[in-house]
């Protein structure tokens, strides 16, 4: 940008000198970056499967919690298997045919059964893509398709798991996401996202930052807060993709070991609406 400013001062009076050419080059670079990010999901999905690492940091009222996970995802049909660590406890998770299964630690699952399940298709239809993306690696990667044209910036290079990558900072148009109208009420019109692409244009890392507004009456608000303003919750989700072509075996647990929590999730969604 500094070089472009100097060249503009030395250019022709009508603005068609080196400064104009510099602006054109900058515009071309931005367009190329936009195309690279938009095609990243398709290029990644062409690999069919990948290993995935997940890190989520949630902050509210001066406190924060982290969750970590690792597993594998089928980028074609969205099935995945992961092991999550939340507050020192391990949760086994599977996504099979758009149904989320979680095995809670130490018999904490309601209904006296080790597993719970939530139909992600039904929840997404009611609440939008926001809740689903936090648990579904394949859906999270699809955010690359909803970037805006004007907010794509190349931020340099980085080595991730021994692979050279190019980092782009982009803005996701929430209205272009599934259920975007409902989601933008919680996060606003746009989401900042960083992606790291390898030389083949595949996504190696994705970082999404959300600032959510808890609905009035939500337990996420402080009980001592006398104001009517909703509590804000910030969520940073970082997801790494490695080992493309890895084997993924995602099977639903036996029906007799599962408690269906879809209805409960839908009720909570209605209260937040």
């Amino acid at each position: 940008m500094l070089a472009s400013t100097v060249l503009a001062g030395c250019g022709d009076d009508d603005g068609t000198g080196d400064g104009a050419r510099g602006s054109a080059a900058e515009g071309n670079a931005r367009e190329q970056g936009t195309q690279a990010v938009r095609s990243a999901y398709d290029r990644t999905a062409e690999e069919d499967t990948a290993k995935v690492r997940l890190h989520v940091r949630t902050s509210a009222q001066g406190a924060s919690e982290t969750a970590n996970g690792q597993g594998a995802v089928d980028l074609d049909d969205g099935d995945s298997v992961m092991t999550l660590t939340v507050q020192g406890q391990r949760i086994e998770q599977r996504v099979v045919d758009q149904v989320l299964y979680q095995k809670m630690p130490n018999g904490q699952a309601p209904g006296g059964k080790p597993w719970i399940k939530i139909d992600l298709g039904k929840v997404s239809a009611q609440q939008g893509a926001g809740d689903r993306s936090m648990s579904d690696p394949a859906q999270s990667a699809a955010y690359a398709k909803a970037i805006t044209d004007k907010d794509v910036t190349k931020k340099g290079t980085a080595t991730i798991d021994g692979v050279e990558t190019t980092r782009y900072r982009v803005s996701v148009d929430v209205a272009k996401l599934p259920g975007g109208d409902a989601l933008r009420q919680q996060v606003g019109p746009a989401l900042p996202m960083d992606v790291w692409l390898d030389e083949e244009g595949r996504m190696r890392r994705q970082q999404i930052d959300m600032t959510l507004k808890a609905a009035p009456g939500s337990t996420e608000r402080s009980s001592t807060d006398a104001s009517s303003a909703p509590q804000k919750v910030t969520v940073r989700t970082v997801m790494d993709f490695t080992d493309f072509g890895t084997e993924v075996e995602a099977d639903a647990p036996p029906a007799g070991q599962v408690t269906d929590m879809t209805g409960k999730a839908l009720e909570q969604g209605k209260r937040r609406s």
Side-chain angles (χ1 to χ4, degrees):
M1 292 181 64
L2 177 60
S4 297
T5 301
V6 173
L7 289 173
C10 299
D12 298 336
D13 293 340
D14 60 3
T16 58
D18 290 341
R21 287 194 293 272
S23 297
E26 183 178 346
N28 290 335
R30 186 179 296 274
E31 182 178 355
Q32 291 174 359
T34 301
Q35 293 175 349
V37 176
R38 280 190 168 163
S39 63
Y41 174 71
D42 289 333
R43 291 181 181 270
T44 307
E46 287 174 358
E47 301 293 340
D48 294 330
T49 62
K51 288 185 178 180
V52 62
R53 289 196 306 268
L54 176 70
H55 177 77
V56 181
R57 181 181 179 89
T58 304
S59 302
Q61 298 176 321
S64 63
E65 295 180 356
T66 61
N68 296 290
Q70 59 183 357
V73 57
D74 188 317
L75 297 163
D76 182 30
D77 59 24
D79 288 358
S80 65
V81 291
M82 294 191 71
T83 299
L84 305 173
T85 302
V86 183
Q87 295 182 338
Q89 295 185 317
R90 291 167 60 88
I91 299 174
E92 186 177 344
Q93 175 178 292
R94 305 174 190 174
V95 176
V96 183
D97 295 331
Q98 296 190 40
V99 177
L100 170 69
Y101 298 91
Q102 287 187 333
K103 186 177 183 180
M104 310 304 289
N106 303 323
Q108 295 179 15
K113 299 178 181 179
W115 291 85
I116 64 171
K117 77 172 185 178
I118 297 175
D119 189 319
L120 295 176
K122 293 180 180 179
V123 174
S124 295
Q126 180 196 71
Q127 301 177 11
D131 290 342
R132 179 179 173 184
S133 67
M134 295 300 99
S135 301
D136 187 343
Q139 180 69 13
S140 180
Y143 272 49
K145 289 186 174 182
I147 67 170
T148 61
D149 292 326
K150 60 182 180 179
D151 296 324
V152 178
T153 306
K154 184 177 178 180
K155 302 297 289 184
T157 60
T159 302
I160 298 177
D161 294 311
V163 177
E164 291 296 324
T165 66
T166 302
R167 179 181 182 179
Y168 294 93
R169 180 161 295 166
V170 303
S171 179
V172 176
D173 186 349
V174 175
K176 294 182 180 180
L177 296 172
D181 290 341
L183 183 59
R184 67 182 295 160
Q185 294 180 11
Q186 288 188 302
V187 302
L191 288 173
M193 180 175 76
D194 286 30
V195 294
W196 287 254
L197 309 183
D198 64 16
E199 291 182 352
E200 298 180 45
R202 302 173 301 187
M203 192 178 300
R204 290 289 182 160
R205 174 173 291 173
Q206 179 188 50
Q207 176 179 298
I208 301 174
D209 291 295
M210 290 187 178
T211 300
L212 301 112
K213 299 177 182 178
S218 168
T219 56
E220 293 171 345
R221 290 181 59 195
S222 170
S223 59
T224 60
D225 185 4
S227 70
S228 59
Q231 172 65 37
K232 291 184 178 180
V233 180
T234 61
V235 182
R236 168 168 287 184
T237 303
V238 180
M239 191 170 294
D240 288 353
F241 297 91
T242 63
D243 298 284
F244 293 113
T246 193
E247 185 175 356
V248 179
E249 295 183 2
D251 298 316
Q257 299 182 14
V258 179
T259 298
D260 192 342
M261 299 294 292
T262 304
K264 184 70 172 179
L266 293 174
E267 290 177 6
Q268 292 177 346
K270 289 180 180 178
R271 287 199 293 269
R272 290 200 298 265
S273 300

